Structure formats: C-alpha cells, structure tokens
Amino acid sequence: MTFFSDYNNLGLLAIALVSGGLLAWPALTRRTTGASVNISEATRLINKHNAVVVDIRDAVEYAAGHLPQAKSAPLAELAGKVATLAKNKSNPIIVVCQTGKLSGKAHAAIKEAGYSEVYSLEGGINAWRLAGLPLVK
C-alpha cells in the first residue's frame, strides 16, 4: 500500500495509464469504423470479387472525381439508398469518402442493412489520387 502513497510512484502510474491508453487507441477506433482496406486490397476486391464502390461524398465532390463505377450515395441520403447498393448482399462493398474518416458511419449503416462484407477505403479519395489511380469525372 505504500506504493500508492508515494507521489513519485503516482506519477509513474499516471504515465503508464496514459501510454497504455495510447497503445489501445487504434484497436478501439477500429471497432467503431469497421474493417478497412488499403488501395491495393481495394483494387483486388474490385477486380476479382466484383466489389461495389459506394462514394458517400456529396454530389459536388462526386462530380469532381470518383472511382470508376462508383455509386453515389451521400452520407445524408444513405439510409434511403442502402437497399439498392448491390443486387447480392454477399458482394463486398467498399465505402469511400474524401479522407477515410467519415466512412465509418456509413460502414455501420450498410452492415446493419445486411451486407456481409463492408470495408472502408483507408485514406479515401485522397489516397487513391496520390497513388496515381484513375478517377472519373
């Protein structure tokens, strides 16, 4: 019990708790955003498994450039469009936003609608563009 009464030890304990929290942060945020895929895995899913790409950005951003064959379903309208995203609910779905930060919200809504494989694109359109991959206007 004398360990907790020494102020030097309390500082060490606080540092240990903060560092543990920082180490656990990626695992905790992964649960809220769902599964994600990098660009190479996304292209593999699109080419080999007929993945459906769902762009959740607004219409202006979508018109400025989107992935080939991406379906536009802005986040505000996603609830009404979620049933028509793919004919087969077992097809993989890749959710795309500008930076990869907002796709977690859409990921949860799509998963809740009964689609079995739902992924978020890491880095979003920005990462796709930086990789030099094609965008359609």
Side-chain angles (χ1 to χ4, degrees):
M1 250 357 222
T2 59
F3 177 81
F4 294 108
S5 63
D6 186 3
Y7 290 112
N8 291 330
N9 292 340
L10 290 178
L12 293 173
L13 184 61
I15 290 171
L17 288 174
V18 169
S19 64
L22 291 173
L23 288 171
W25 184 256
L28 295 174
T29 57
R30 195 173 312 121
R31 284 188 190 152
T32 59
T33 60
S36 61
V37 291
N38 60 28
I39 293 168
S40 62
E41 183 66 17
T43 54
R44 188 187 70 75
L45 285 171
I46 293 167
N47 293 333
K48 300 215 186 240
H49 298 283
N50 298 323
V52 176
V53 179
V54 178
D55 195 322
I56 61 166
R57 301 174 300 151
D58 63 34
V60 174
E61 291 175 321
Y62 179 82
H66 57 274
L67 274 70
Q69 301 176 351
K71 294 184 178 188
S72 177
L75 190 56
E77 303 168 11
L78 185 62
K81 293 185 175 186
V82 73
T84 62
L85 293 177
K87 292 177 186 173
N88 186 353
K89 289 194 175 190
S90 65
N91 281 6
I93 293 186
I94 302 171
V95 182
V96 178
C97 66
Q98 190 67 37
T99 62
K101 303 289 183 200
L102 292 178
S103 53
K105 293 177 184 178
H107 184 280
I110 294 169
K111 194 81 167 165
E112 190 175 292
Y115 292 93
S116 59
E117 270 187 88
V118 183
Y119 304 98
S120 299
L121 181 63
E122 293 174 359
I125 291 291
N126 290 346
W128 189 270
R129 187 177 289 122
L130 285 173
L133 294 170
L135 290 175
V136 178
K137 291 187 179 184

